[in-house]
Amino acid sequence: MNQAIQSGNHPDAESLNAFVEQALTGTEREQVLAHMATCGRCRQVVYLAQEAAGVEGDLAARVVSDDGGRDRAPSLKPQRNWFGGWRLAWIPVAALAGFVGFAVLQHARHSPLESQVAVNSLQEKGEESAASSRITNSKAVDKTEAGSKKTKSSAQEQGPARAKSAPERSDSNTPMAKFDAVEQAKKPAERSADSVTRSSQNEGDKARDSADVSNSVGAVYLSHQEAQEEALKKTENLDKDEQRRQKENKQLQTAQVSVVGGTGKPPSAPPVGQAGSASFGAAASPAAKAPVANGQPTLSASNYKAATAGRVMADLKAKRTLLPNGTAALSVTTAKGRTIALDPSGTMYMTEDAGKSWVSITSQWTGRAVLVRTRETPAQADAVTPNNNAVFELVNDNIQTWVSSDGKIWVPQVVPPK
Amino acid sequence: MAYLRGVDASPLQPVDEPLSGDVTAGIAGLPKDLLDTLWRECGAGNWGLGRDEFDNILYVEGTAHNFGLDLSVPVSLAQQGAFFGGLKLGDLVLARACAAGHERAWVHFVAIYQEPLARAAIAISGNETIGRDLAGALYAELYGLTERDGLRRCPLNSYRGRGSLLGWLRTTLAQRHVDQYRRGHREEPLDDFDAPSLERPVAESPVALPMVAQAVEQALGESEAEERFMLAAYFLDERTLAQIAAVLGVHEATISRRLRRATDAVRKQVLRNLRNLGISKRAAEEALGTDPRDVELQIDLKTLMQSSRSQSFSDLETSSGMASGEGSPKKAAE
């Protein structure tokens, strides 16, 4: 080989042919390439030999295809199998088809849930519009109420009307329908909390009694069937807790009604707009608090929707929180990295490490604590508190409120004299 | 392809000379088991070759170039086996049997290679008459009609089995055709020579052209052999990417990518060389923008890449073929 590529000589036919057929070693190939880079004659030889090989290859392919039994006139162009060139293309095509099929299946699996959610959202929209009209009515009632019997009677008239709508829609067995029914019944109860009456309180209790059903809102992101199963399971498991809560609610309502009937206003009632969220097992979320304008609740539809979802999620969170005494938390709230929880007996626990270790808080309030929640603003509405930096609020079974800035030291909240 | 005109043809490859090498008698260096295996597989006995002849062929092929390795490297048994395994032993023994004049080998050779040889010659020459003449001449030479010093000489003795015998025949045909054409081209009348017009205006170049030539020569000298081959094939021979890819055995997209990379590298290197020669960057870039046709009139940059100044074979063939009306459609299309 080396002898064949001396200076001034050309590679012999053996070397050039071996180069074309890729049969040379690396060193030999480099030598031939170096020569051909400067030798037009050898390049021409290689090109011509390559062309002749191509003609021969085409002819051989034509002969092979003719041997296949096809009686056709010989053509100058090689007849290639049309699908032959696509042989390798079947692999990505098959992969693409598989992907599309998977996507269609996934879409088919989720489409019922989406349609269900769409239906529910439409229903909620309708309810929101209805609720807003009711809120307007409630405003009008609230303006003229001021403890008069006329307002009380009108509220009593509204109560059955609202309560009537809930059973009408709760005939559906689907969790989402139950959730709608519960929300339908719950909304008026929350909005008219400043004009608490027995009937409206009962109506709110009904909503709270079936609040567990609304836990299925968390299953909106699950499949429809899973959401149904989960909601039914939760409904069964928490049935006992709900019964106990009903009793506690009734006791609380009894005490509240007696207070309203006696003084016209509870001694330390929660601020306006927050009472609606004073439900058992539910911590008031920021969104759940209605904006206050001139002491009047002005809940918008979106705020109301968010408040409802926040309450439901807080309720879920409370039920999932397991306290050191082995019981599920009755009420849970979190702020400033601290989580405060109440057990059903009213004992308060606090944790600063996301529930890894709990500290029992000595009772500094009267009665049984039934609700803890977080305050968004230091001083809310017209309430005056000794500590304007208070973050947490506690409500006992007498609807009295205590506030705390750190969750350890609690002081009663004082309502300013009008 | 004017750069190739009027250039003497390079020395021809002596394809009819026997394989040179320090061949000594005996096969003591090769393992007997390996030789037995190769003997059975290649079927050398079918063409009338004896075992001694076969062993001698292998010994010559193996030891002439140290089994494809450097001469200073000791060769192991495995390397010997790999070397012989890479040879086209069937073709090799057939060629040697034909060269030795064994009748059965010739019958087989004619039956197998006569028609492909004719088709290849027609494809190479682009003309059936010329092609058949070319194939007939080589066929006669292969048969050993040529004698030198009273000895029958056969070009098949130079076939060493590195590639296929048919490929070797095609390459030999191409060599013969190119050399024949180049010899005939020197006998063409000067009237057909298309000399460049002297009235053609020469563009002013901001940089001295010899400096550009020196910078280009240095840049090309520093590039790899394969890059230089691709540049020459693409820019000088005006071959397509597919043709270059077929020669190098890679995809044409690879050729395109390597060409672009090589062009950029050469351009940068030329700029760098011009800067090293004391030319400002702007002047160097302007020099690279000079029309190569203008540069060619004075320094002929292509001679830097083309030591053997021969006219592009296909171009001349096309022009002559079209003038005589005998050119192939493919060449005429080019």
Side-chain angles (χ1 to χ4, degrees):
Chain A
M1 175 64 209
N2 295 337
Q3 298 166 355
I5 314 178
Q6 301 293 333
S7 60
N9 288 337
H10 298 283
D12 57 5
E14 176 78 15
S15 299
L16 292 178
N17 178 46
F19 170 79
V20 171
E21 295 185 357
Q22 313 289 331
L24 293 179
T25 62
T27 307
E28 293 170 334
R29 188 171 183 273
E30 284 294 315
Q31 291 174 346
V32 172
L33 273 174
H35 174 83
M36 290 176 62
T38 60
C39 179
R41 181 256 188 189
C42 289
R43 289 201 302 270
Q44 293 293 341
V45 169
V46 168
Y47 298 148
L48 290 175
Q50 193 84 37
E51 289 177 8
V55 171
E56 195 71 25
D58 292 345
L59 183 66
R62 207 160 60 218
V63 168
V64 169
S65 62
D66 288 343
D67 289 344
R70 295 184 182 181
D71 187 15
R72 64 186 180 197
S75 59
L76 292 178
K77 286 188 175 181
Q79 299 295 322
R80 301 174 66 180
N81 187 5
W82 193 85
F83 288 100
W86 292 87
R87 196 175 302 147
L88 292 178
W90 286 112
I91 299 171
V93 167
L96 183 63
F99 178 76
V100 170
F102 179 75
V104 169
L105 286 176
Q106 289 295 320
H107 180 72
R109 279 185 60 188
H110 289 86
S111 56
L113 175 62
E114 290 169 359
S115 61
Q116 183 68 34
V117 171
V119 168
N120 288 333
S121 68
L122 286 174
Q123 291 173 348
E124 285 180 357
K125 282 183 180 178
E127 291 162 5
E128 284 167 3
S129 59
S132 59
S133 63
R134 285 195 293 268
I135 288 171
T136 307
N137 294 336
S138 176
K139 283 182 187 176
V141 170
D142 293 340
K143 284 180 181 177
T144 57
E145 180 192 12
S148 66
K149 291 182 180 178
K150 184 179 180 182
T151 305
K152 194 182 293 183
S153 61
S154 66
Q156 287 173 346
E157 289 172 2
Q158 285 181 351
R162 294 172 194 156
K164 185 181 178 182
S165 62
E168 283 176 356
R169 297 190 62 232
S170 63
D171 54 353
S172 174
N173 290 327
T174 63
M176 296 306 293
K178 289 180 180 177
F179 172 70
D180 291 340
V182 168
E183 292 304 312
Q184 176 72 17
K186 197 187 293 181
K187 290 168 191 174
E190 293 171 353
R191 291 170 192 158
S192 59
D194 56 335
S195 59
V196 177
T197 61
R198 190 179 191 89
S199 60
S200 62
Q201 189 68 38
N202 288 335
E203 190 178 31
D205 291 342
K206 285 180 182 178
R208 287 192 294 273
D209 291 345
S210 55
D212 283 328
V213 180
S214 68
N215 293 342
S216 60
V217 74
V220 165
Y221 302 101
L222 304 175
S223 67
H224 183 62
Q225 189 174 359
E226 290 172 344
Q228 280 185 334
E229 294 173 357
E230 185 135 349
L232 291 174
K233 191 183 296 181
K234 286 181 179 177
T235 305
E236 293 172 359
N237 292 339
L238 299 174
D239 192 29
K240 294 179 181 179
D241 288 344
E242 291 308 316
Q243 290 177 356
R244 180 170 44 79
R245 286 181 186 175
Q246 285 179 13
K247 292 178 181 177
E248 291 170 355
N249 281 337
K250 286 178 181 176
Q251 292 174 0
L252 182 61
Q253 290 159 11
T254 305
Q256 191 174 358
V257 168
S258 63
V259 168
V260 170
T263 61
K265 212 168 199 179
S268 58
V272 176
Q274 288 186 356
S277 62
S279 61
F280 294 103
S285 67
K289 296 173 182 174
V292 176
N294 299 327
Q296 303 284 335
T298 56
L299 261 179
S300 67
S302 60
N303 284 343
Y304 178 76
K305 192 175 179 182
T308 305
R311 284 183 52 211
V312 171
M313 295 309 294
D315 200 353
L316 278 174
K317 182 181 176 183
K319 289 190 176 75
R320 289 170 186 166
T321 303
L322 194 63
L323 295 176
N325 58 6
T327 61
L330 178 65
S331 177
V332 176
T333 186
T334 302
K336 290 186 175 180
R338 295 174 179 176
T339 301
I340 294 175
L342 293 175
D343 69 355
S345 64
T347 306
M348 177 180 287
Y349 294 91
M350 186 179 72
T351 178
E352 296 180 350
D353 51 3
K356 294 178 182 176
S357 63
W358 292 89
V359 177
S360 176
I361 304 298
T362 307
S363 176
Q364 304 159 39
W365 50 86
T366 60
R368 186 171 72 90
V370 294
L371 171 68
V372 288
R373 60 190 176 194
T374 305
R375 301 179 55 153
E376 272 304 293
T377 56
Q380 209 165 40
D382 53 355
V384 175
T385 61
N387 186 1
N388 282 335
N389 295 323
V391 175
F392 301 105
E393 281 187 355
L394 177 148
V395 180
N396 67 357
D397 52 2
N398 288 326
I399 318 298
Q400 293 170 328
T401 305
W402 278 259
V403 296
S404 172
S405 60
D406 57 358
K408 297 177 182 177
I409 301 173
W410 294 85
V411 294
Q413 178 176 271
V414 180
V415 178
K418 289 191 176 179
Chain B
M1 294 300 162
Y3 71 100
L4 292 174
R5 295 179 187 274
V7 180
D8 291 337
S10 59
L12 299 178
Q13 161 66 26
V15 295
D16 53 353
E17 290 183 358
L19 183 67
S20 62
D22 298 330
V23 180
T24 57
I27 52 171
L30 299 180
K32 188 174 183 303
D33 294 341
L34 176 62
L35 294 174
D36 291 340
T37 304
L38 296 175
W39 166 261
R40 285 194 302 270
E41 289 179 352
C42 70
N46 297 333
W47 318 129
L49 283 179
R51 177 60 189 270
D52 293 341
E53 290 176 295
F54 175 76
D55 291 350
N56 201 31
I57 291 170
L58 292 189
Y59 180 81
V60 170
E61 295 302 325
T63 57
H65 304 295
N66 197 26
F67 298 93
L69 303 174
D70 291 338
L71 297 178
S72 59
V73 176
V75 183
S76 65
L77 180 62
Q79 288 172 327
Q80 291 180 20
F83 173 77
F84 288 122
L87 292 181
K88 308 284 185 184
L89 272 184
D91 290 348
L92 179 62
V93 296
L94 177 63
R96 294 302 164 83
C98 291
H102 294 283
E103 189 63 25
R104 280 185 290 176
W106 271 113
V107 171
H108 184 74
F109 181 86
V110 170
I112 297 297
Y113 293 109
Q114 187 177 24
E115 281 304 314
L117 199 63
R119 285 196 296 268
I122 293 171
I124 287 170
S125 63
N127 183 287
E128 184 168 359
T129 306
I130 297 175
R132 293 205 176 274
D133 289 345
L134 182 66
L138 178 63
Y139 191 76
E141 193 175 353
L142 292 176
Y143 196 70
L145 297 181
T146 304
E147 290 187 0
R148 185 180 294 175
D149 300 332
L151 295 176
R152 177 173 173 268
R153 306 183 66 85
C154 180
L156 284 172
N157 277 324
S158 63
Y159 174 68
R160 301 196 305 272
R162 301 293 298 274
S164 65
L165 181 57
L166 183 58
W168 180 86
L169 290 170
R170 286 196 210 104
T171 307
T172 303
L173 276 175
Q175 283 183 324
R176 300 295 168 92
H177 183 60
V178 170
D179 295 339
Q180 183 180 358
Y181 189 88
R182 288 155 69 95
R183 279 196 299 269
H185 174 65
R186 286 185 297 174
E187 300 168 359
E188 286 185 358
L190 290 176
D191 295 342
D192 292 342
F193 181 69
D194 185 16
S197 172
L198 295 177
E199 298 176 356
R200 188 176 180 181
V202 178
E204 293 292 334
S205 175
V207 180
L209 292 178
M211 300 177 75
V212 177
Q214 183 181 352
V216 173
E217 185 175 9
Q218 288 179 356
L220 290 177
E222 293 171 0
S223 60
E224 295 180 357
E226 190 175 62
E227 288 183 352
R228 278 184 278 132
F229 169 76
M230 286 190 299
L231 291 171
Y234 188 76
F235 292 106
L236 298 183
D237 300 338
E238 298 178 353
R239 292 286 162 179
T240 64
L241 295 177
Q243 288 173 323
I244 302 172
V247 171
L248 294 179
V250 296
H251 195 269
E252 54 184 291
T254 306
I255 297 296
S256 173
R257 190 170 58 252
R258 289 182 185 174
L259 263 178
R260 187 166 54 249
R261 196 181 307 151
T263 307
D264 293 342
V266 168
R267 179 183 173 82
K268 289 179 182 176
Q269 188 60 39
V270 168
L271 284 174
R272 202 175 296 123
N273 294 340
L274 287 174
R275 296 290 302 276
N276 293 337
L277 292 173
I279 299 175
S280 66
K281 182 179 179 181
R282 182 176 179 181
E285 290 178 348
E286 288 181 357
L288 287 188
T290 304
D291 191 342
R293 291 170 298 181
D294 298 333
V295 176
E296 185 184 8
L297 291 176
Q298 296 189 14
I299 63 170
D300 198 356
L301 281 178
K302 293 172 182 174
T303 59
L304 300 174
M305 301 178 64
Q306 188 84 25
S307 63
S308 174
R309 295 188 64 195
S310 58
Q311 186 172 5
S312 174
F313 185 76
S314 58
D315 286 353
L316 285 178
E317 186 183 34
T318 302
S319 60
S320 64
M322 291 181 68
S324 63
E326 295 176 350
S328 67
K330 182 179 180 184
K331 294 293 179 184
E334 289 179 358

